[in-house]
Amino acid sequence: MEAQSLPVALALVAAGGVGLSPEKRAALGVSLPLLQRDYRFERVWFWGCIQGVRGAYYIAQGLGPDRAAPRSRLYSLNCVDWSLLTPATKEMLALAEHVKGRFRGDPSFEYNLAEINTGVSDRLFEGGKEPVMKEEARLIATIEQIDRAVGIVPRGAFVKTPLGSVLENRHFEGLSLTEAKKLSSYFHFTKPVNLKNKTLLEKADLDPSTDFLDSLEHDIPQGSWSVQLEKGGTVVVLRSLLWLGLTFYHVPMTKQFGYAYFGTGEKNLDLPFML
């Protein structure tokens, strides 16, 4: 969610029982504009919070002119001092899949993969690497996983130029209430996967400038999204049942939309048995 509209946005996602204390909101209101200035970001988004056993990680994202380009991610333990995270690698994502349980809240904490998964530790030993993973690396991988799986935007909010860059659509005035209640009106804000598998006949009805991302209607498993009307039917809220804690909001007929994650950073692997 946009740093500039943080107070209003937090109020719209707070119905799920999550949010920030007045002290944390005040600290973010001061530190995020400074973050944008110091790192020369064009925009700063507050991503959310991953709650650990001993502390919490507050996450922010910095964006450049191309909104689809890799984002800079930063974390803070107190909403004041921020540290830049390195980009996620395939190795980080693979190792993070084997680490279970809550985050500790200490970036320097090391998970012993030999105790968690013998097969993974044996492969690391063969490659000359120690079978350990720092919590900071797990944090990087978890943020990337959540963004890929449930980071979403409304249809038409962004446009793809003929040169391939993705920009904010200045003509976007929000979805109608009827459209806002449909999963097909929301896209994953990451590289498309299902779009490449569509036939030419299916692509014929798509607008290449706006329909360049994957729609939520084909997410697996089906039923992994909860769509609700709140604030007297004036706000549409989508909640992910796969990554519990991810809440997206959109005020129909306005440009107000965004999402935030407030959770433990654990994937709901029991979802297929709950549907």
Side-chain angles (χ1 to χ4, degrees), residues 135-197:
E135 181 154 286
E136 185 176 87
R138 184 191 178 191
L139 178 67
I140 294 170
T142 301
I143 296 171
E144 181 70 19
Q145 288 176 330
I146 294 175
D147 263 348
R148 288 184 184 182
V150 292
I152 62 176
V153 294
R155 181 181 184 272
F158 296 89
V159 293
K160 189 174 185 179
T161 67
L163 297 177
S165 59
V166 176
L167 307 175
E168 293 181 8
N169 186 0
R170 297 183 179 180
H171 302 289
F172 177 70
E173 296 296 336
L175 302 172
S176 66
L177 182 59
T178 302
E179 292 296 319
K181 293 187 289 185
K182 300 177 182 178
L183 283 179
S184 58
S185 298
Y186 301 95
F187 293 151
H188 290 280
F189 200 36
T190 186
K191 289 183 179 180
V193 177
N194 298 328
L195 188 65
K196 300 177 182 178
N197 300 326

Side-chain angles (χ1 to χ4, degrees), residues 42-61:
E42 188 167 299
R43 290 287 181 88
V44 170
W45 287 356
F46 176 68
W47 184 87
C49 168
I50 293 180
Q51 185 66 48
V53 176
R54 300 176 183 174
Y57 297 102
Y58 301 92
I59 314 299
Q61 294 183 329

Side-chain angles (χ1 to χ4, degrees), residues 8 24 28-29 52 103 188 190 217 256 258:
V8 176
K24 297 299 183 186
L28 288 173
F103 279 78
H188 290 280
T190 186
E217 63 179 334
Q256 297 181 54

Side-chain angles (χ1 to χ4, degrees), residues 5-267:
S5 59
L6 191 59
V8 176
L10 286 173
L12 294 177
V13 301
V18 297
L20 297 172
S21 66
E23 293 80 6
K24 297 299 183 186
R25 291 200 299 268
L28 288 173
V30 174
S31 65
L32 291 182
L34 295 176
L35 198 66
Q36 182 174 352
R37 182 200 66 184
D38 294 342
Y39 285 89
R40 299 182 180 179
F41 295 137
E42 188 167 299
R43 290 287 181 88
V44 170
W45 287 356
F46 176 68
W47 184 87
C49 168
I50 293 180
Q51 185 66 48
V53 176
R54 300 176 183 174
Y57 297 102
Y58 301 92
I59 314 299
Q61 294 183 329
L63 291 83
D66 186 353
R67 297 296 190 259
R71 305 163 206 164
S72 298
R73 297 187 173 112
L74 304 97
Y75 78 93
S76 173
L77 301 175
N78 55 12
C79 294
V80 176
D81 304 309
W82 295 88
S83 300
L84 187 65
L85 292 169
T86 59
T89 63
K90 292 183 179 179
E91 183 183 11
M92 286 182 186
L93 295 171
L95 292 178
E97 292 284 348
H98 300 281
V99 181
K100 308 299 180 185
R102 295 279 302 275
F103 279 78
R104 297 298 191 276
D106 178 8
S108 62
F109 179 82
E110 293 185 345
Y111 296 94
N112 190 336
L113 299 179
E115 298 177 358
I116 299 173
N117 190 312
T118 306
V120 175
S121 63
D122 290 343
R123 289 199 300 270
L124 291 176
F125 267 129
E126 291 174 1
K129 298 179 181 179
E130 294 185 12
V132 295
M133 182 181 194
K134 284 193 174 183
E135 181 154 286
E136 185 176 87
R138 184 191 178 191
L139 178 67
I140 294 170
T142 301
I143 296 171
E144 181 70 19
Q145 288 176 330
I146 294 175
D147 263 348
R148 288 184 184 182
V150 292
I152 62 176
V153 294
R155 181 181 184 272
F158 296 89
V159 293
K160 189 174 185 179
T161 67
L163 297 177
S165 59
V166 176
L167 307 175
E168 293 181 8
N169 186 0
R170 297 183 179 180
H171 302 289
F172 177 70
E173 296 296 336
L175 302 172
S176 66
L177 182 59
T178 302
E179 292 296 319
K181 293 187 289 185
K182 300 177 182 178
L183 283 179
S184 58
S185 298
Y186 301 95
F187 293 151
H188 290 280
F189 200 36
T190 186
K191 289 183 179 180
V193 177
N194 298 328
L195 188 65
K196 300 177 182 178
N197 300 326
K198 289 191 174 183
T199 64
L200 292 176
L201 186 61
E202 291 174 320
K203 292 181 179 179
D205 296 329
L206 302 180
D207 185 342
S209 65
T210 56
D211 300 319
F212 58 93
L213 299 169
D214 286 334
S215 170
L216 266 62
E217 63 179 334
H218 301 300
D219 279 12
I220 298 174
Q222 290 188 356
S224 61
W225 288 97
S226 167
V227 183
Q228 298 173 335
L229 290 176
E230 297 183 357
K231 304 290 183 182
T234 59
V235 181
V236 178
V237 174
L238 279 70
R239 293 187 174 89
S240 173
L241 304 181
L242 185 62
W243 288 94
L244 297 172
L246 190 287
T247 305
F248 171 89
Y249 74 92
H250 176 49
V251 182
M253 305 306 294
T254 73
K255 296 182 178 182
Q256 297 181 54
F257 69 88
Y259 67 86
Y261 178 82
F262 291 91
T264 61
E266 297 174 284
K267 190 176 182 180

